[in-house]
Amino acid sequence: MTTATAPSPTSTAPTPHQVWKRAQGLLIALLILVIAGVTFAAVRSGTNYGHLDPRSADAKGSRAAAELLKARGISVTVATTLDEATTAAGPDTTLLVTGPNLLTPAQQRRLHEATTASTGRTVLIAPGPATASRLSPGVRTEPHRPVSPLPPSCAFPAARSAGTADMGGVRYTAPDSTATACYPSDDTPSLLILKGRADGDTVLLGSPDFLHNERLDQQGNASLALQLLGSRPHLVWYLPSLADPSATSDDGSPDNNDNGNDTNGGGNGGESDFLDLIPSGWLWGTLQLTLAAVLAAIWRGRRLGPLVVERLPVSIRASESAEGRAGLYRKANARDRAAESLRAAARTRIARLAGVTTREAHTSDVLLPAVSARTTTTGDDLSTLLFGPAPTDDAALVLLAEHLDALEREVRTS
């Protein structure tokens, strides 16, 4: 037995209400994400000072090192502008520059002039190639290597006393034979000490990891930090900022030609762009969300494709199929769907009898005139019968089916 299938009405574009229902889930998810991000930032804004900040007790902060230095009688001063850092530089001062790559070329040249004249100690954290050439002329950088426990392998007293420490990162070489090279990684040092005028010197560190709170109690990290930063009675902890007024060039516009690694020294040793300032977790999260969105789009696209006609495993009588569908409609009180199914099937059959194409069978302007010419039913009654509203009760639905059947017989015999 063949199954009786009622053709569906012609498809129409989704209504604004349908579009809103489909999009509201995504909008709600985005709203939750924004609220969570704002809340997270607000909660952390009062306690998170950032990497290498001597006020921060976070894992990547350096409060532990600063407190140990203060306990040994070293004064620790935080500087956030270049003016503060250069003014405080002196022969009895150690200047720690946590993010030299964030300084513009003009700032770097000014800092170099001030530190050279101060005859104090300058400690640079992971300067990149261009930064190193300006702050310590002649020094060359080598590619970044992972941070790991390394032996000092040099005669520098502070390194020999500290022993093995968590070093690595950017590596440096200098043509000056008086330079002291320590903690080599792949035979290239990650700590370089350059002698300056009088007792002044410049220390280049390939990685700041040994200064982090989470690593200070490991290996000889604490000893190395105290000896490098506590060799003078005063320590200026310089945290460069893009908001520093001196970061603007002579014409008043920011000079972004030499942005470098972030303060954690985790870059590749070169000058970095905007993406390098974004935490890697956010980049991976964005990549995963993008991949999920693409897969969801492919999945939805396949769902909205054309229906595939499959052979049924068993033969179903057309009357059983109609009764089953009618039972579902009745259980759901879906008189509107049942009425539309009856009308759509009747319009298709009557259109063939009236000489109307199947495509135009559901267009009232074409179907109604053709049927009116073959029946005695008036135009308004015919329009209500074939395209009218849904019945209000079951009795009206049964009456609709009888009238459609009578109309079809009338057209067939006309």
Side-chain angles (χ1 to χ4, degrees):
M1 291 291 291
T2 59
T3 58
T5 304
S8 60
T10 56
S11 60
T12 58
T15 64
H17 179 69
Q18 292 173 328
V19 173
W20 164 247
K21 289 188 64 176
R22 295 174 184 174
Q24 64 181 357
L26 177 60
L27 294 177
I28 292 174
L30 290 176
L31 180 60
I32 294 175
L33 182 62
V34 170
I35 294 175
V38 172
T39 303
F40 181 75
V43 170
R44 293 177 59 88
S45 61
T47 57
N48 184 17
Y49 292 96
H51 291 178
L52 289 179
D53 194 308
R55 301 162 295 184
S56 174
D58 292 347
K60 301 298 183 181
S62 298
R63 183 176 179 180
E67 293 299 324
L68 288 178
L69 288 166
K70 293 177 182 179
R72 296 185 60 179
I74 307 299
S75 66
V76 179
T77 304
V78 177
T80 57
T81 65
L82 183 61
D83 291 338
E84 295 174 349
T86 55
T87 300
D92 59 348
T93 300
T94 298
L95 175 60
L96 172 63
V97 186
T98 60
N101 296 314
L102 291 177
L103 301 174
T104 65
Q107 288 179 305
Q108 292 170 357
R109 286 188 288 268
R110 180 181 167 190
L111 178 63
H112 176 62
E113 294 173 359
T115 54
T116 302
S118 71
T119 66
R121 167 167 288 181
T122 304
V123 181
L124 305 175
I125 300 293
T131 300
S133 66
R134 296 189 187 102
L135 296 179
S136 50
V139 173
R140 296 192 305 270
T141 62
E142 298 295 334
H144 182 276
R145 287 292 182 270
V147 175
S148 62
L150 297 175
S153 302
C154 67
F156 185 49
R160 290 178 62 87
S161 175
T164 301
D166 290 330
M167 296 296 292
V170 187
R171 299 168 300 154
Y172 304 97
T173 57
D176 188 356
S177 59
T178 63
T180 304
C182 300
Y183 297 101
S185 177
D186 291 346
D187 299 326
T188 306
S190 55
L191 187 153
L192 191 67
I193 303 97
L194 304 173
K195 294 297 294 182
R197 297 193 316 175
D199 293 333
D201 59 15
T202 299
V203 181
L204 287 83
L205 294 171
S207 169
D209 287 31
F210 74 100
L211 292 174
H212 291 162
N213 293 327
E214 63 181 356
R215 287 180 181 253
L216 193 65
D217 61 344
Q218 302 174 13
Q219 313 298 334
N221 296 341
S223 176
L224 182 61
L226 292 176
Q227 295 183 78
L228 284 179
L229 304 182
S231 62
R232 270 76 171 170
H234 304 292
L235 171 62
V236 177
W237 203 297
Y238 179 27
L239 302 171
S241 171
L242 297 177
D244 189 344
S246 65
T248 57
S249 57
D250 295 338
D251 60 357
S253 60
D255 189 344
N256 296 324
N257 295 327
D258 198 45
N259 287 340
N261 302 333
D262 56 11
T263 56
N264 63 7
N268 57 8
E271 308 306 315
S272 45
D273 54 19
F274 173 75
L275 293 179
D276 294 323
L277 302 178
I278 301 176
S280 59
W282 285 91
L283 295 178
W284 280 110
T286 302
L287 178 61
Q288 293 176 13
L289 289 176
T290 302
L291 179 60
V294 172
L295 294 177
I298 296 175
W299 169 61
R300 294 293 298 178
R302 289 177 61 85
R303 284 192 60 190
L304 298 177
L307 297 177
V308 178
V309 179
E310 298 181 358
R311 296 182 59 184
L312 297 176
V314 295
S315 297
I316 301 176
R317 294 178 179 272
S319 59
E320 293 178 1
S321 178
E323 289 175 0
R325 178 176 293 186
L328 292 175
Y329 284 159
R330 182 175 183 179
K331 185 177 181 179
N333 288 326
R335 285 184 291 270
D336 53 343
R337 299 290 299 274
E340 180 57 30
S341 180
L342 292 172
R343 282 172 169 147
R347 289 196 298 265
T348 301
R349 294 191 297 268
I350 292 174
R352 289 197 296 264
L353 298 174
V356 177
T357 62
T358 303
R359 176 177 297 182
E360 297 175 332
H362 309 288
T363 304
S364 59
D365 295 340
V366 178
L367 181 64
L368 292 179
V371 176
S372 298
R374 294 173 175 266
T375 64
T376 58
T377 306
T378 60
D380 292 339
D381 294 340
L382 190 60
S383 176
T384 301
L385 180 60
L386 293 175
F387 297 94
T392 57
D393 51 32
D394 291 345
L397 180 61
V398 173
L399 185 61
L400 172 64
E402 294 176 352
H403 288 171
L404 289 173
D405 186 55
L407 177 63
E408 183 178 351
R409 287 198 304 270
E410 185 179 0
V411 174
R412 188 184 300 276
T413 57
S414 62

